[in-house]
Amino acid sequence: MPNSHLSLTQYMFLSPAKVHGTFTVCLSEATAVFGLEIPISQKPPPEGWDSKHVLIHSPLPLKFRSNLLAPGAKMKASGPGCTCGIMLVLLSLLAVLHATTAQKNDISIYSFTVDSKVSSRFAHTVVTSRVVNRAETVQEATFQVELPKRAFITNFSMIIEGVTYPGNIKEKAAAQEQYSAAVARGESAGLVKATGRKTEQFQVSVNVAPAAKVTFELVYEELLKRQLGVYELLLKVQPQQLVKHLQMDIHIFEPQCISFLETESTFMTSELANALTISQNKTKAHIQFKPQKTAGQLDKVLDGNFIVRYDVNRTLSGGSIQIENGYFVHYFAPEGLPTIPKNVIFVIDKSGSMSGRKIQQTREALIKILDDLKPNDQFNLISFSGDVTYWKPLLVPASPENVDQAKRYAANIEAQGGTNINDAMLTAVRLLQSANQKELLSDGSVSLIILLTDGDPTVGETSPARIQKNVQKAIDGQYSLFCLGFGFDVSYVFLEKLALDNGGLARRIYEDSDSALQLQDFYQEVANPLLTAVTFEYPDNAVDKVSQDNFRLLFKGSEIVVVGKLRDQSPDVLSAKVRGQLHMQNITFQTESSVAEQEKEFQSPKYIFHSFMEKLWAYLTIQQLLEQIISASDAEKQALETRALNLSLSYSFVTPLTSMVVTKPEGEQRSEVAEKPVETSHHSFSRFPPVGDTMHRTGGIYADSVLTERRGYRGQGPPGPSRRIPSDPWRNRLRGPPIAPLHPLYHTPGEPDRMLAPSIPGEALQVEDLRARDVAPARAPAIASDPVTGRLWERKASGNSTDLSQRAKATSSPAPMQAPPVILMLPGQSVNRLCVDIKHSQGPMKLLSDPDQGIEVTGQYETEKAQFSWIEVTLKNLQLQVRASPEHVVVTQNRRNSAYKWKETLFSMMPGLSMTMDKTGLLLLSSTDKVTVGLLPWDGPGEGLRLLLRDTDRFSSHVNGTLGQFYQDVLWGPPTEADDSKRTLRVQGRDYSATRLVKLDYQEGSPGTEISCWSVEL
């Protein structure tokens, strides 16, 4: 097409510094407004053009109106600080839009399936995507999958026009030549990137001929790890476009019997609820998600997590031995053991880099952790920067008095100075040694050191290797050390080796709103030691190639796993002994398993994949070898690496020692390399989704993840020995909420009685029932809003109308209309609302409690801000708590915390409870025959947390509390002679003044709708 030229004069001068490659022209046609990016050449303009002209080259013929000042289009440079305005109207609009739309839809995913089989905790997952090129030219198709970090990729293939292009597992050194060549050519050779706290991303692209089809298939495997009493299977669903056929199947088989099962999704909505089916018996479960196009369930692009959590039955025994195809696995997690007393020293980094949010969250977590100490525990606190300070010279019992003193000390920890890790750790060891020498530690107790730091050592001994050597020599195998790395500046490799050298483990604490919860969750994992010095014994003539069989500690909620191979002439029954130490005695468990009976258990091909037990044995053995390599001497490392490498190659696992070479069709980059990302530097691979971004490693090169929004930086602290990067001011930016539709209120004739709220004399009023899901369209509205003035009008039974907004002005202050803290549906047949204003509050309030329902709601109301700072819902029968704050929602069950950000879709199904959240932030807790409790982060006028109650007719007669009292007998007095909008409300012998006012209804989300309600002050 011929180029068109447009000379834009008289408006502005564009200097080279202000041009950033593109500017935007907004095109207006009728009521539609569209944007078109046009490249700007950085080369000098043609001869004859002066600095007041901009030359636009367009591939399409352009026509313009003669008046360039006509409204419709604006030009703006993409760089900050550039303000320019040029008015254009482009008539060749539809051609541009058509071309853009067609290009986006060229590659179509017509099928996307996820199939996961979990056999005795070992998960085998296959992700398959089928695409077709609907364009008339060659297009690039991209296959992208997120998988758990603990998983090993075992296979990948592409089928293009009937030809299979497989991925081949090779030793990393053998694949390095292909990798280096690709990098030298400027091509991205890494296919796997870390993208989240728990996930890595696999991505590959290939060119597809017109009308050609491609099938991508990725297979990965993992052993589900038991933490805080549950196994968790995490699946990502993100086809990135509408899919004609989408299906997910999860089959679980557990010979020990499934004790409970729950699902959680961040892409499910109520419209998709019937697309999810769960069937379960004692040993098997099938979860299927299959949306139907006929139900309109495939009209939305799905992107999010699907999580399955479950546990199995267990007893106070030697565990469960399961056998398949000549291999065995032994699971050991006995129930009913008493907790061993512990001696714990918390070593807290208070250097300058910990200032601000990090030290605040550390104090918050430490205070809650101290509350969880048991009376027979002993503890102490050490804080360090350049110097080391201990709270007490000796360990002290966790009495209420000592815990309260320690909480006050923790609350006053301030961050400043350098980082002296060496002296802090040696001080902690000396405190334990001193207590042991003075016989202050109880017999059989467990001693733990928990270190929290956010950076490298900068004061005193700064060599990581020498610190590791000093600490290991001082501990000498007597105590267990757990290291927590806070944020992105800490050397995780240093902390991991420090912990593994001393019988513990390392964990990264991600900098985000839930950092305090991460600290608490880690403590819960180690808070309840059950056994020490655990060893497994099997007959020598029965087993071979047994994995690690001795362990320093077993904690409540975890599980020890041992795997091995049966010998050819092994006995018909495999027996085992498990020995360990309780608080004051030794204990031995015995168990046995019939080989023939166990082999029969694993015969169902629907639930079992071939030789899964052998793959499980290889997987766990490799994981343990990789862990041993970290703390091994140089002489031992080579043998461990060789063994782990051989197993990885034999069983086709992509591990840190191997690479997968992906071959492509001729004419393209011939091969790409997939490697297992390793957390080895100061950089963290993930953050709390979806705020901020991640860093990932691909073949030793760090780059920004393609899935994230913008770079987030380390926390900023006072000047110190080490330089910190300031935090990104955009990291916590807020998006405006969607506008909720207005719901009209309807009039229904009726007479009030002693249990019902009286309407204004001469009328009867009914508002929308909270329980109603749909609005009846047949009735005329009793209250309507004028579309021009916005006034609220009420239609009386006589047919006359009253301007309620004018009445409100006459009876209330001229302040802007606010949403009340609480709106309640009154009991009985009336659907009038009660608006509750809280004017006096001291400390936490018991808002409502119903012992028959097992529901309790408490909250902290700040009268100065006129809002709740937190609301907590306790479901006693489920041992579950939901605590809402303006920042996020935290769900706690069985010592396990889950944090959710407001306005992120959530759909969780667990035994006895459904928990959902929509895009407006409305969180609903509902259960059969129970009152539904809702929580909402209202951001309209009078912003703050709000409480909703639905199905309130299900309250029992024993309901009580500040709000619960209004669901007991309610008596209404007659209207006052001077003002018929005022009544007296008597509740449990106490009188409240009720006034008919216009308020904002927050229950449908911001901006709210005006309603008439009875307002009561408490």
Side-chain angles (χ1 to χ4, degrees), residues 334-443:
E335 285 289 295
L337 290 177
T339 300
I340 299 175
K342 62 182 179 294
N343 317 299
V344 58
I345 297 182
F346 301 97
V347 184
I348 307 300
D349 184 348
K350 63 170 184 177
S351 60
S353 58
M354 284 284 291
S355 68
R357 194 182 196 190
K358 281 197 272 191
I359 199 66
Q360 177 185 347
Q361 291 174 321
T362 299
R363 289 193 296 254
E364 176 189 336
L366 192 53
I367 288 169
K368 292 191 184 239
I369 287 171
L370 291 169
D371 269 333
D372 286 336
L373 289 171
K374 295 177 173 56
N376 56 355
D377 292 337
Q378 296 192 80
F379 75 105
N380 205 342
L381 305 176
I382 291 176
S383 59
F384 71 95
S385 51
D387 300 320
V388 179
T389 305
Y390 49 73
W391 170 55
K392 297 284 186 182
L394 294 170
L395 274 77
V396 298
S399 65
E401 296 78 16
N402 287 334
V403 168
D404 286 342
Q405 289 181 33
K407 286 162 64 176
R408 287 194 291 272
Y409 175 84
N412 291 310
I413 295 177
E414 298 292 340
Q416 59 181 351
T419 308
N420 192 342
I421 295 176
N422 187 74
D423 286 359
M425 292 306 304
L426 296 183
T427 300
V429 175
R430 283 195 293 269
L431 283 173
L432 285 171
Q433 289 173 338
S434 175
N436 195 29
Q437 291 168 1
K438 295 177 181 179
E439 298 183 350
L440 299 177
L441 307 182
S442 62
D443 293 338

Side-chain angles (χ1 to χ4, degrees), residues 823-890:
I823 299 176
L824 299 177
M825 295 297 300
L826 294 176
Q829 300 303 311
S830 170
V831 287
N832 275 297
R833 289 183 172 104
L834 189 69
C835 294
V836 180
D837 280 314
I838 301 173
K839 298 298 184 182
H840 307 285
S841 173
Q842 291 184 347
M845 304 170 62
K846 185 174 77 170
L847 299 176
L848 67 88
S849 176
D850 190 335
D852 294 5
Q853 290 268 309
I855 297 174
E856 185 171 284
V857 181
T858 56
Q860 177 80 53
Y861 189 80
E862 299 182 19
T863 53
E864 298 81 8
K865 297 181 180 180
Q867 61 179 252
F868 285 100
S869 57
W870 57 265
I871 298 176
E872 185 172 276
V873 181
T874 301
L875 305 177
K876 296 184 177 180
N877 298 337
L878 301 177
Q879 297 182 328
L880 182 140
Q881 284 184 332
V882 179
R883 187 181 180 92
S885 67
E887 198 162 36
H888 57 216
V889 178
V890 178

Side-chain angles (χ1 to χ4, degrees), residues 563-590:
V563 291
K565 187 179 187 301
L566 298 180
R567 293 186 181 274
D568 292 339
Q569 303 299 322
S570 63
D572 294 335
V573 175
L574 176 60
S575 61
K577 290 183 180 180
V578 184
R579 304 182 190 275
Q581 293 180 357
L582 293 171
H583 179 201
M584 300 294 289
Q585 67 183 48
N586 296 330
I587 188 171
T588 300
F589 297 95
Q590 295 192 44

Side-chain angles (χ1 to χ4, degrees), residues 168-205:
N168 299 308
I169 309 293
K170 294 185 177 182
E171 182 182 355
K172 184 164 287 188
Q176 190 63 38
E177 183 178 347
Q178 292 169 293
Y179 175 85
S180 300
V183 172
R185 292 193 301 268
E187 298 164 343
S188 174
L191 301 179
V192 184
K193 309 168 184 178
T195 56
R197 290 186 189 177
K198 299 180 179 181
T199 58
E200 297 165 352
Q201 181 193 87
F202 176 90
Q203 179 174 307
V204 66
S205 299

